[in-house]
């Protein structure tokens, strides 16, 4: 099980190590999806570096003590990207390797959307977009009141930011000075079946989070070292928003920025995707 010490300054070795892990997680994610011919490859591939930053560097979290009281928490608010999170939890040894073939099957721990009733390491059931950030705000507030130093990280989609509930949670988090809360926005510019901007015309999310009182930064969402430092910066009593510019489907050229691969466009092309991520490892 790999754990990369967060570098204080970008270093070539750390970059190489993160790169190796990301390639492995991409391969594992596509393997899971290709085995059953179901899932959300585009949404999963856009957030691999974000998840790797968190689970291999930023989070104070021990895979052998996932119930530890003062663990950092992660909530995958864009719950349909579950395969990427499962790939990380498998890689960190939280999920048993023999479950890898059972994505989205009845009774399997790898449900189509994360559910703590089935899957160890999942903090909150998500899939209904908009809810995960509210839950994260509640967790962050509770941890703070208890005097815990633990932090909460939530990953939301750019389409998901059209949900009114996101902005209610954002407002409240800033009012409560939740500087133990970080939201990462996976800004891949697409949602279910259209470009995000074509639906409600929101193209610039960073000023929005700032206006809601969050300490906001925009980063390259495929650069682990940039992500790591953006999530660790101190925020002067404010919650942190990291707008991560990403490519939906990143790593499989025919899926990249191709909204048809939000979920499965053509199951017959999954072996080809698998060959690409295997060759890239
Ligand atoms: C409340 C709610 N409405 C609709 C859906 C169906 N749905 C699943 S994914 C998705 C698009 C999400 O887009 P985005 O947030 O940009 O995530 P991405 O897949 O691009 O990372 C939609 C509308 C849902 N899961 N929940
Ligand atoms: Mg999106």
């Amino acid at each position: 099980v790999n754990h990369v010490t967060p570098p204080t300054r970008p270093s070539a070795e750390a970059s190489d190590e993160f790169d190796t892990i990301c390639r492995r997680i991409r391969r594992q994610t596509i393997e899971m999806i290709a085995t059953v011919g179901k899932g959300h490859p585009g949404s999963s591939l856009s957030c691999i570096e974000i998840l790797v930053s968190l689970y291999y560097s930023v989070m104070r979290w021990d895979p052998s003590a996932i119930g530890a009281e003062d663990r950092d928490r992660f909530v995958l608010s864009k719950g349909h990207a579950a395969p990427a999170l499962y790939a990380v939890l498998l890689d960190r040894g939280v999920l048993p390797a023999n479950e890898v073939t059972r994505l989205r099957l009845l009774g399997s721990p790898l449900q189509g959307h994360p559910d703590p009733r089935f899957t160890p390491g999942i903090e909150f059931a998500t899939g209904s977009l908009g809810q995960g950030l509210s839950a994260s705000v509640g967790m962050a507030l509770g941890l703070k009141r208890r005097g815990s130093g633990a932090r909460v990280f939530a990953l939301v989609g750019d389409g998901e930011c059209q949900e009114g509930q996101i902005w209610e949670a954002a407002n409240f988090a800033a009012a409560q000075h939740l500087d133990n809360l970080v939201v990462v926005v996976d800004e891949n510019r697409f949602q279910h079946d259209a470009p995000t901007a074509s639906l409600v015309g929101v193209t610039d999310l960073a000023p929005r989070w700032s206006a809601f009182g969050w300490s906001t930064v925009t980063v390259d969402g495929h650069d682990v070292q940039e992500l790591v430092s953006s999530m660790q910066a101190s925020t002067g009593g404010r919650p942190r928003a990291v707008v991560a510019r990403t490519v939906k489907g990143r790593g499989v050229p025919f899926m990249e920025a191709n909204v048809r691969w939000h979920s499965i466009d053509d199951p017959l092309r999954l072996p080809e995707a698998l060959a690409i991520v295997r060759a890239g490892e």
Side-chain angles (χ1 to χ4, degrees), residues 43 46 78 80 127-129 157-160 163 186 188 190-192 196 248 262:
S43 316
S46 77
K78 44 166 270 186
H80 56 286
S128 186
L129 294 167
D158 55 347
E160 184 179 7
E163 293 283 352
D186 182 346
N188 58 27
F190 291 93
Q191 50 191 67
H192 189 278
T196 304
K248 199 156 178 167
H262 170 80

Side-chain angles (χ1 to χ4, degrees), residues 78-254:
K78 44 166 270 186
H80 56 286
L85 179 56
Y86 296 154
V88 166
L89 293 175
L90 281 157
D91 199 58
R92 298 292 330 253
V94 173
L95 296 177
N98 61 354
E99 296 295 356
V100 63
T101 57
R102 301 184 62 217
L103 182 69
R104 295 178 85 96
L105 299 184
L106 199 62
S108 149
L110 308 187
Q111 291 297 295
H113 297 80
D115 187 330
R117 293 174 303 170
F118 295 94
T119 315
I122 300 297
E123 303 283 359
F124 188 73
T126 51
S128 186
L129 294 167
Q131 298 181 352
L133 183 60
S134 298
S136 308
V137 168
M139 289 177 199
L141 185 59
L143 287 164
K144 221 177 212 315
R145 289 203 173 156
R146 239 180 38 215
S148 166
R151 299 164 300 168
V152 183
F153 298 87
L155 176 57
V156 304
D158 55 347
E160 184 179 7
C161 289
Q162 290 166 14
E163 293 283 352
Q165 185 172 357
I166 291 286
W167 302 105
E168 185 176 350
N171 206 16
F172 184 69
Q176 297 293 322
H177 307 290
L178 297 182
D179 53 7
N180 58 343
L181 176 66
V182 177
V183 68
V184 182
V185 184
D186 182 346
E187 194 189 39
N188 58 27
R189 300 183 298 115
F190 291 93
Q191 50 191 67
H192 189 278
D193 49 18
T196 304
S198 73
L199 291 162
V200 293
V202 175
T203 50
D204 214 351
L205 282 167
R208 270 207 187 195
W209 288 94
S210 296
F212 273 75
W214 290 55
S215 158
T216 308
V217 65
T218 299
V219 300
D220 174 349
H222 297 300
D223 182 325
V224 174
Q225 300 208 26
E226 250 191 66
L227 284 161
V228 167
S229 45
S230 71
M231 289 188 240
Q232 284 172 331
S234 91
T235 58
R238 288 178 293 166
R240 180 73 152 165
V242 176
V243 177
R245 296 218 159 115
T246 58
V247 176
K248 199 156 178 167
R250 168 80 168 214
V252 178
F254 67 84

Side-chain angles (χ1 to χ4, degrees), residues 18-101:
F18 284 132
D19 188 55
T20 305
I21 298 170
C22 291
R23 286 172 191 277
R24 193 165 72 233
I25 301 296
R26 277 204 163 77
R27 190 256 307 148
Q28 185 69 85
T29 300
I30 295 299
E31 240 166 43
M32 247 184 274
I33 292 173
T35 305
V36 292
K38 295 180 213 161
H40 295 83
S43 316
S44 299
L45 291 172
S46 77
C47 63
I48 302 289
E49 283 79 9
I50 297 167
L51 295 175
V52 166
S53 305
L54 285 162
Y55 278 94
Y56 295 80
S57 181
V58 174
M59 276 168 55
R60 293 185 289 252
W61 173 86
D62 178 355
S64 60
I66 51 172
E69 212 169 292
D70 285 331
R71 69 191 180 280
D72 285 350
R73 272 82 165 157
F74 173 71
V75 174
L76 182 67
S77 197
K78 44 166 270 186
H80 56 286
L85 179 56
Y86 296 154
V88 166
L89 293 175
L90 281 157
D91 199 58
R92 298 292 330 253
V94 173
L95 296 177
N98 61 354
E99 296 295 356
V100 63
T101 57

